[in-house]
Amino acid sequence: MAEQKKVRHILSLSGGKDSAALAIYMRDRVPEMEYIFSDTQKELPETYEYLDRIASYLGKEVVRLNADIGFDHWYEMYGGMIPSNHRRWCTRALKLKPFEQYCGDQEVVNYVGLRAEENRGGYISHKSNITAVYPFKEDGLVLRDIEEILRTSGVGMPPYTQWGRTRSGCYFCFYQQKIEWVRLKETHPDLYDKAKAYEKPYEKTGNFFTWSQGESLSELEQPARMEHIKREHVIRIERQKSRNENVTLAKVFADAESAQEPDDDDEQGCLVCQL
Ligand code: SF4
């Protein structure tokens, strides 16, 4: 009789709430699950702490991919060109490829933390041996269920949400909103300065690329500009609140953040880093 092929079950943690909740949700349903984290080496310090907390709840190691090679290696390979949603080499090099290499040619079930109310597609592997599954969608779990899973497990929400950041991923991620840059500047001024240091003329063309659309981080950190961004944000939140009287506060903030997405013609890139 032919030997049955072993199927591996893999869940990729991003440091965000949805993949964390999914790991908790699946822990006892799929005991053989392998948990991984593709480390860009540019995550917030809080994210590394959060991953330790999740690993301790799971009672299993979270395997770190890119253990030796992080963002700066690829940044040099790309001639010092910072990524953007139109030049998104980082997701491919730092998230997708390491994941596919880790899977190899074996049959893999890839667990993705998209929620039931979400319509966006995931930036997932199209290799024929990898099959994506969406347990939250299949079981009809929405944002409040995810919050509940995190609360009752004791793992909690990602720590960066305490200072108003909504996304996991690199501290300099170009998907970050203006208000999140302001909060980064106020909470981690050292990381803001490190992000700023990447903004310099691209060596091949002399073009000056910025992380945030339409302005450099040196411009964005000017006190008057930061105050303006904060005021605009409060107005947006108030407007959103009056439209959403029956939803959770977290949803109000999430909606307000997505409402100001600047040029989000391809949000798939952030899914793999930020679910
Ligand atoms: S978090 Fe942002 S900058 Fe980092 S790899 Fe993902 S898309 Fe690129």
Side-chain angles (χ1 to χ4, degrees), residues 235-247:
I235 293 169
R236 203 172 288 118
I237 292 285
E238 289 302 325
R239 216 181 282 143
Q240 203 74 31
K241 258 194 207 161
S242 62
R243 282 195 218 121
N244 293 277
E245 280 173 0
N246 296 321
V247 296

Side-chain angles (χ1 to χ4, degrees), residues 52-91:
D52 289 344
R53 210 190 294 169
I54 297 166
S56 144
Y57 177 89
L58 298 171
K60 261 195 181 175
E61 183 196 4
V62 174
V63 177
R64 305 275 167 115
L65 310 185
N66 298 322
D68 306 319
I69 296 179
F71 178 89
D72 286 337
H73 167 83
W74 292 106
Y75 173 68
E76 274 182 35
M77 298 286 284
Y78 280 85
M81 178 177 67
I82 59 177
S84 72
N85 57 346
H86 303 299
R87 304 181 301 275
R88 214 185 51 234
W89 53 260
C90 52
T91 311

Side-chain angles (χ1 to χ4, degrees), residues 40 42-43 71 83-84 88-92 94-95 165 168-176 211 269-274:
T40 63
K42 300 292 170 184
E43 313 287 330
F71 178 89
S84 72
R88 214 185 51 234
W89 53 260
C90 52
T91 311
R92 274 194 310 278
L94 289 154
K95 301 285 178 177
R165 189 173 161 114
S168 54
C170 305
Y171 61 79
F172 48 51
C173 184
F174 47 85
Y175 280 111
Q176 197 164 177
W211 290 113
C270 65
L271 279 185
V272 71
C273 307
Q274 290 154 8

